[in-house]
Amino acid sequence: MSALLSGLLDAALDASIVFSFDRNGFRRHARGFEPKDLEVDLAGRTVLVTGANSGIGRAAAGGLARLGARVVLLCRDEARGREALGELERETRSRTLEVVRLDVSDLADVRRVAGLFRDGRVDALVHNAGVLPDRRVTTRDGLELTLATNLVGPFLLTSLLMPALERARGRVVHVSSGGMYTQRLDVVELFRGGGESFDGVVQYARTKRALVVLNELFAGRFAGSGVTFSAMHPGWADTPAVRTSLPRFHAVTKAILRSPEEGADTVVWLAASPAAEGRSGLFWFDRAPAATTPLPGTRETAEEMDRLEAALAAAAGLDGAPTSPAGEARGRRRRSRGS
Ligand SMILES: NC(=O)c1ccc[n+]([C@@H]2O[C@H](COP(=O)([O-])OP(=O)(O)OC[C@H]3O[C@@H](n4cnc5c(N)ncnc54)[C@H](OP(=O)(O)O)[C@@H]3O)[C@@H](O)[C@H]2O)c1
């Protein structure tokens, strides 16, 4: 087949989503991966991965440990964390894995854990922990659980760890979801968390959309800091979350789901590869930048982005006033969007 025909076929398969999010999509995209990208030695580097005891987070932690990093598994359940640590040590032969307990939905816990790392160097922070609950749960901070876990906790952790990330000219990786494509940023609904008519899938997609916007906000606010901010989605990977939160989806798709390692590949690449350095504020899929708003009506306004930033600062208990670089970045965005 000519290169042109194979390129057209790839584009058509990607447009179909099911043939791009699945394992065949990964394998097709992986043919274009550059092996040298991950020929890196991360010895002496510190990487934090939330939700690292399971699924994509565990696979990402393993991939980064194989590259020599000191990997800190941030897990809400210490016993599950220790079990994953033992398995990963056997699989990777790494002796630089650690477990630290962190419930990312609990803002006091986020502050405690940030305090352990803030004065050192953090080379990469991977926000992988995520939930898709089937009913509305409120955290002790008064936030809906999906919002607290997938968005507010990560926002606070990054904000508090900025000194350590800047010292290392580090990377922040936000694990979003292809589900975010279905939602437009709506800060009022996002923080209302569905109210009495809670729909877990919709709230999950809202938080994942907001995470992609947050990535852009951070990239603007901290442009020039040396820190690279990325968001990505892993496609569809066979993990405990998919089995338990989406059992019908899992039953139909299980034969074509990616492995956790395939889902985690772009996380490892973004956290480790020189090829990803400095390409801040982008949304990635299979090591390539992806569109964020291909569906009509899903593009957020600059005002809605401002609202998100203010709502996150208030929810996380940070001083609300955005820093001047953020203000400048928002000004630039407004001008470029013509609003
Ligand atoms: N699998 C997919 O196809 C897919 C697709 C799109 C996006 N994603 C995203 O990928 C990420 C990983 O999901 P996964 O599929 O690998 O699911 P998973 O195997 O269930 O892993 C989720 C991890 O997050 C942890 N976690 C949940 N709440 C937490 C909290 N409050 N504090 C700390 N850790 C917490 C879980 O800990 P416990 O083990 O203690 O529950 C678990 O380690 C999520 O952000 C998810 O939204 C996955």
Side-chain angles (χ1 to χ4, degrees):
M1 201 183 332
S2 75
L4 176 64
L5 266 182
S6 110
L8 286 173
L9 180 61
D10 278 3
L13 290 169
D14 276 0
S16 70
I17 291 196
V18 68
F19 294 115
S20 127
F21 285 20
D22 75 345
R23 69 177 182 204
N24 295 314
F26 178 80
R27 287 164 199 179
R28 208 173 59 251
H29 296 155
R31 289 203 298 268
F33 291 175
E34 184 56 68
K36 278 203 172 63
D37 280 5
L38 282 177
E39 287 173 10
V40 284
D41 180 1
L42 300 185
R45 308 274 181 90
T46 296
V47 177
L48 313 184
V49 182
T50 67
N53 59 287
S54 175
I56 290 165
R58 185 187 176 289
L64 291 161
R66 274 191 193 89
L67 297 175
R70 168 193 177 212
V71 182
V72 183
L73 315 177
L74 299 175
C75 303
R76 66 174 155 179
D77 182 284
E78 190 146 359
R80 284 198 288 274
R82 297 245 151 257
E83 198 182 326
L85 176 99
E87 292 164 2
L88 286 170
E89 280 182 341
R90 281 192 292 283
E91 289 167 21
T92 66
R93 297 171 185 269
S94 168
R95 289 291 168 269
T96 51
L97 287 152
E98 297 165 32
V99 178
V100 168
R101 189 178 52 73
L102 169 64
D103 179 342
V104 81
S105 73
D106 179 337
L107 299 179
D109 217 30
V110 170
R111 289 180 184 280
R112 175 186 63 79
V113 170
L116 304 176
F117 297 97
R118 194 170 16 204
D119 296 332
R121 287 169 53 108
V122 171
D123 294 277
L125 169 60
V126 178
H127 291 297
N128 162 79
V131 287
L132 195 172
D134 59 5
R135 65 196 167 86
R136 196 180 195 289
V137 175
T138 304
T139 67
R140 66 176 179 174
D141 299 298
L143 298 168
E144 186 281 319
L145 180 66
T146 327
L147 174 70
T149 310
N150 299 2
L151 190 67
V152 181
F155 166 77
L156 180 59
L157 189 57
T158 298
S159 301
L160 297 177
L161 287 179
M162 273 313 291
L165 286 158
E166 286 192 62
R167 240 170 253 130
R169 298 181 69 78
R171 317 262 179 104
V172 179
V173 181
H174 300 101
V175 178
S176 179
S177 163
M180 76 101 192
Y181 280 128
T182 63
Q183 295 296 316
R184 179 172 188 262
L185 180 66
D186 180 336
V187 177
V188 170
E189 284 304 319
L190 174 70
F191 276 78
R192 207 171 68 82
E196 281 170 15
S197 55
F198 181 76
D199 181 329
V201 174
V202 171
Q203 179 66 356
Y204 172 84
R206 282 194 185 118
T207 63
K208 294 297 187 176
R209 161 66 71 187
L211 197 60
V212 172
V213 177
L214 174 62
N215 181 60
E216 294 176 9
L217 284 166
F218 270 135
R221 179 192 295 196
F222 294 108
S225 68
V227 179
T228 303
F229 294 90
S230 307
M232 57 78 67
H233 81 89
W236 294 330
D238 196 347
T239 64
V242 174
R243 286 195 284 278
T244 55
S245 301
L246 301 168
R248 272 180 292 184
F249 173 79
H250 183 260
V252 173
T253 59
K254 63 182 172 208
I256 58 164
L257 294 176
R258 296 171 176 217
S259 68
E261 287 69 25
E262 290 169 338
D265 171 83
T266 297
V267 177
V268 174
W269 185 84
L270 287 168
S273 177
E277 187 171 358
R279 302 171 74 182
S280 202
L282 297 176
F283 181 52
W284 298 84
F285 178 48
D286 288 344
R287 302 192 189 184
T292 55
T293 55
L295 299 180
T298 53
R299 188 170 187 177
E300 62 282 344
T301 61
E303 288 70 23
E304 201 63 2
M305 291 176 82
D306 287 351
R307 224 169 274 144
L308 177 66
E309 192 169 31
L312 283 171
L318 293 178
D319 284 339
T323 58
S324 60
E328 285 164 23
R330 285 200 307 278
R332 276 200 302 278
R333 271 198 311 275
R334 274 212 190 88
R335 284 190 290 280
S336 69
R337 283 161 193 250
S339 54

